Structure formats: structure tokens, C-alpha cells
């Protein structure tokens, strides 16, 4: 029981740390003259994915590689199927054409790259792992993506900042710096505590770190994305909800796995090809639902299908663990 309590405490530190880090960094970004679009696509995207980054890097440092990869794969599955599914159940999601032709295909490319790395053992018979070189390549692709984001931001007209901007500027510099430092400290401390207790629980249940990463850790670290997306959907801002999920998925594969692999090569311990193909299938379903049935709209029915797909995947994992 104490492990579960400390696990929840670690997760709380991670979530609140990410929130404070995002608020402080956003306020500093606004003071430096960054546009709302750049702040949203960089600082906010980093903030909602900071739990995954913290846990995966700390897992790599401690040698829990299955937890590091399982966290990313499980989080992206949760983001794509459960979060988009729940948002679509609240209100149909209208997708901009540029997202369908640019961001979602990039998510597919990142997923295919991870699948190719995971299936490399089919070619040479060597157990698959994300090597340091491959981690550096993922980070380079992420740098290209960020270059695209900034170029897109420069091309877009700057909207009226309004009340939100005034609130950001009202935050004193000292408090912004305190939020950044405190949030970062909470992320590191919470991530270390969470990884330790998740591994202890995995051993107690007799399951692998990867399974815990694909389920408990993935759902826990995706709570910021879930809360942000559902809140945006309830306010009618489905574009923000969708962009949050897409940006997080790209960040998780390219930045989170890239950083973790640079720290330590990551063997696919417990994360099998079925999990990777499930990840690819989720991205394809997301893309196809947006294009085919109702053009660039994910309906409530499609949202229900996506949610059921995620529940079915988790049920399959549980059945296999029991067996």
C-alpha cells in the first residue's frame, strides 16, 4: 500500500511541477516577446509532455529501459485513442486541413521510425534497441520540427493578446523564475519517486516494467494532456485539444525517446511488435477518421470507436499478463 501512496505522490509532484514550469516559462516567454503561437507550440507542449520526459530519462538513468519505452508507447496510445475519443464524444472535432497534411503525417513518420527500430531484429537477428545514434537522429528530426514550428509562427499573423496576455505580463519576473525552478525540482523529485515505486509495484505484481509503463505510467503521465484537451473541448476549443495531442505525440517519440536513448541505449524489453503495430494503427485510424467518413471531422461515433479500441488494447494486455 505504501508503494501505491508514494506512486500517487510522485505523480502529483510531476503534474503540479509541469504546471508551475509551464506557467513560469510562458510568462518569461511573453516578456521576451514570443507570440502566443510559439509559446503554445513550444512551452505549453513541453509542459504537458514534461512528465513523460522526466520519467523516461530517469528510467533510462536507473536502467529501467522497458519503463522508458513503455511510457512513450503507452502515452501516445492513450493520447490518440482515449483523449481524442473522449474529446470527440464531448463534441465533434473539426480538423484544419494543414494539420491533416502536415502535423498528423509527421506523427505517422515518427511512429513508423519507432516501428522500424523496434522491428530491426527481423533483419539482423539482434535484439532491438534505440541506440545512442538513433536517439541523436530522433533529436535532429525534432529540431527540424521545431524549425518548422517557428517558421510557421512567423508566417502567421499575431492575434490580439487580450486578457490572457495581460495576466502573463502581470506575473513578476522573480515569481516566473521561482515557478520554473520549483516546477523543475518537483519534476525531478517526483519522477525519481514515481519510477522507483512503479518498478517496485511491477516486481510485486510479477509483471515487467514495460507493462507498467504501457498502462499505469502511461495513463498517469497523460493526465495533463487529458485535462487540457477536455477543458478545451468543453469550452469549444477543439483545435487546442487536437493540437495538444498531436504536439505531445511528436514530442514523446522524438524528444523524450531521443533524450532517454542518448543517456542509455534502450532495448525493447517487454515492448513487443504488437504494441508498436497498435501504436501505428492508432495513428492511422486518427488520420483516416479525419479524412474519409466526414471530411476533416471526427464524429462522436468515431470517438466511441477510438475509445473502445483503447479499452480493447488494455484488456488484451491484462489478459496476457494473467496468462
Amino acid at each position: 500500500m505504501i508503494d501505491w501512496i508514494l506512486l500517487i505522490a510522485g505523480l502529483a509532484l510531476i503534474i503540479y511541477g509541469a504546471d508551475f514550469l509551464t506557467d513560469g516559462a510562458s510568462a518569461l516567454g511573453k516578456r521576451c516577446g514570443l507570440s502566443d503561437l510559439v509559446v503554445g507550440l513550444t512551452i505549453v507542449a513541453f509542459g504537458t509532455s514534461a512528465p513523460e520526459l522526466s520519467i523516461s530519462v530517469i528510467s533510462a538513468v536507473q536502467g529501467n529501459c522497458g519503463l522508458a519505452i513503455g511510457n512513450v508507447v503507452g502515452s501516445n496510445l492513450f493520447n490518440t485513442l482515449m483523449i481524442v475519443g473522449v474529446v470527440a464524444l464531448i463534441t465533434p472535432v473539426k480538423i484544419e486541413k494543414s494539420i491533416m497534411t502536415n502535423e498528423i503525417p509527421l506523427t505517422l513518420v515518427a511512429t513508423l521510425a519507432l516501428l522500424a527500430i523496434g522491428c530491426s531484429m527481423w533483419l539482423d537477428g539482434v535484439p532491438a534497441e534505440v541506440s545512442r545514434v538513433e536517439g541523436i537522429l530522433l533529436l535532429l528530426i525534432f529540431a527540424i520540427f521545431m524549425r518548422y514550428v517557428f517558421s510557421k509562427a512567423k508566417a502567421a499573423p499575431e492575434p490580439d493578446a487580450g486578457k490572457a496576455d495581460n495576466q502573463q505580463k502581470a506575473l513578476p519576473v522573480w515569481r516566473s523564475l521561482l515557478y520554473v525552478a520549483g516546477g523543475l525540482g518537483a519534476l525531478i523529485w517526483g519522477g525519481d519517486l514515481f519510477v522507483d515505486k512503479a518498478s517496485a509495484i511491477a516486481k510485486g505484481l510479477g509483471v515487467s516494467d514495460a507493462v507498467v509503463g504501457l498502462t499505469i505510467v502511461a495513463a498517469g503521465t497523460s493526465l495533463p494532456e487529458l485535462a487540457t484537451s477536455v477543458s478545451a473541448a468543453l469550452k469549444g476549443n477543439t483545435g487546442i485539444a487536437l493540437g495538444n495531442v498531436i504536439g505531445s505525440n511528436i514530442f514523446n517519440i522524438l524528444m523524450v525517446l531521443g533524450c532517454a536513448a542518448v543517456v542509455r541505449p534502450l532495448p525493447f524489453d517487454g515492448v513487443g511488435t504488437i504494441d508498436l503495430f497498435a501504436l501505428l494503427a492508432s495513428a492511422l485510424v486518427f488520420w483516416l477518421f479525419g479524412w474519409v467518413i466526414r471530411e476533416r471531422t471526427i464524429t462522436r461515433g468515431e470517438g466511441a470507436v477510438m475509445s473502445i479500441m483503447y479499452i480493447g488494447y488494455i484488456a488484451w494486455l491484462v489478459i496476457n499478463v494473467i496468462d
Side-chain angles (χ1 to χ4, degrees):
M1 179 61 70
I2 188 65
D3 283 341
W4 284 98
I5 293 174
L6 292 175
L7 181 80
I8 294 170
L11 180 60
L13 281 170
I14 290 169
I15 292 173
Y16 281 106
D19 188 46
F20 277 106
L21 177 63
T22 302
D23 286 347
S26 295
L28 290 174
K30 296 302 294 182
R31 284 184 175 275
C32 293
L34 296 179
S35 69
D36 289 336
L37 181 60
V38 173
V39 170
L41 289 174
T42 56
I43 297 172
V44 175
F46 169 78
T48 57
S49 289
E52 286 90 341
L53 179 62
S54 173
I55 288 176
S56 290
V57 171
I58 291 173
S59 297
V61 170
Q62 296 182 356
N64 299 321
C65 299
L67 186 60
I69 295 183
N71 178 34
V72 168
V73 173
S75 292
N76 279 20
L77 278 165
F78 188 91
N79 289 348
T80 304
L81 296 178
M82 184 56 74
I83 294 181
V84 175
V86 169
V87 168
L89 285 171
I90 294 171
T91 179
V93 178
K94 183 69 176 178
I95 308 173
E96 294 180 12
K97 186 175 181 179
S98 62
I99 292 178
M100 294 300 302
T101 55
N102 296 322
E103 280 80 6
I104 294 182
L106 181 57
T107 305
L108 279 169
V109 169
T111 303
L112 283 169
L114 182 58
L115 178 65
I117 295 171
C119 295
S120 62
M121 63 178 299
W122 293 356
L123 298 177
D124 53 22
V126 177
E129 70 171 17
V130 185
S131 67
R132 283 194 173 92
V133 172
E134 289 164 338
I136 292 172
L137 288 176
L138 291 176
L139 291 175
L140 288 175
I141 297 172
F142 180 73
I144 294 172
F145 168 69
M146 293 307 298
R147 177 68 181 87
Y148 159 75
V149 167
F150 278 98
S151 64
K152 185 177 180 180
K154 288 179 181 178
E158 176 68 18
D160 184 20
K163 186 185 295 185
D165 187 50
N166 292 333
Q167 290 174 344
Q168 289 284 10
K169 289 185 177 179
L171 193 64
V173 174
W174 68 267
R175 185 175 295 176
S176 300
L177 293 171
L178 184 63
Y179 279 13
V180 170
L184 187 59
L187 276 173
I188 295 171
W189 183 25
D192 189 51
L193 182 62
F194 192 92
V195 169
D196 281 345
K197 298 312 166 187
S199 298
I201 289 170
K203 291 181 176 66
L205 295 174
V207 299
S208 68
D209 288 338
V211 171
V212 174
L214 286 164
T215 53
I216 299 171
V217 177
T221 55
S222 291
L223 287 178
E225 287 92 338
L226 178 62
T228 301
S229 295
V230 170
S231 175
L234 289 172
K235 296 175 183 176
N237 298 323
T238 55
I240 294 176
L242 198 62
N244 178 43
V245 168
I246 294 171
S248 177
N249 284 358
I250 293 172
F251 188 96
N252 285 346
I253 293 178
L254 299 180
M255 180 67 174
V256 174
L257 271 187
C259 287
V262 169
V263 171
R264 181 192 297 266
L266 304 174
F268 284 77
D269 293 332
V271 178
T273 54
I274 293 179
D275 302 303
L276 296 176
F277 276 109
L279 182 60
L280 177 62
S282 70
L284 286 172
V285 165
F286 184 18
W287 187 66
L288 289 173
F289 278 176
W291 272 123
V292 178
I293 299 177
R294 287 188 61 185
E295 187 177 359
R296 300 202 306 276
T297 301
I298 298 179
T299 64
R300 285 189 173 91
E302 293 166 347
V305 170
M306 296 174 80
S307 299
I308 291 170
M309 285 177 64
Y310 181 77
I311 294 170
Y313 168 75
I314 294 299
W316 175 84
L317 271 181
V318 171
I319 291 171
N320 278 270
V321 167
I322 293 174
D323 291 342

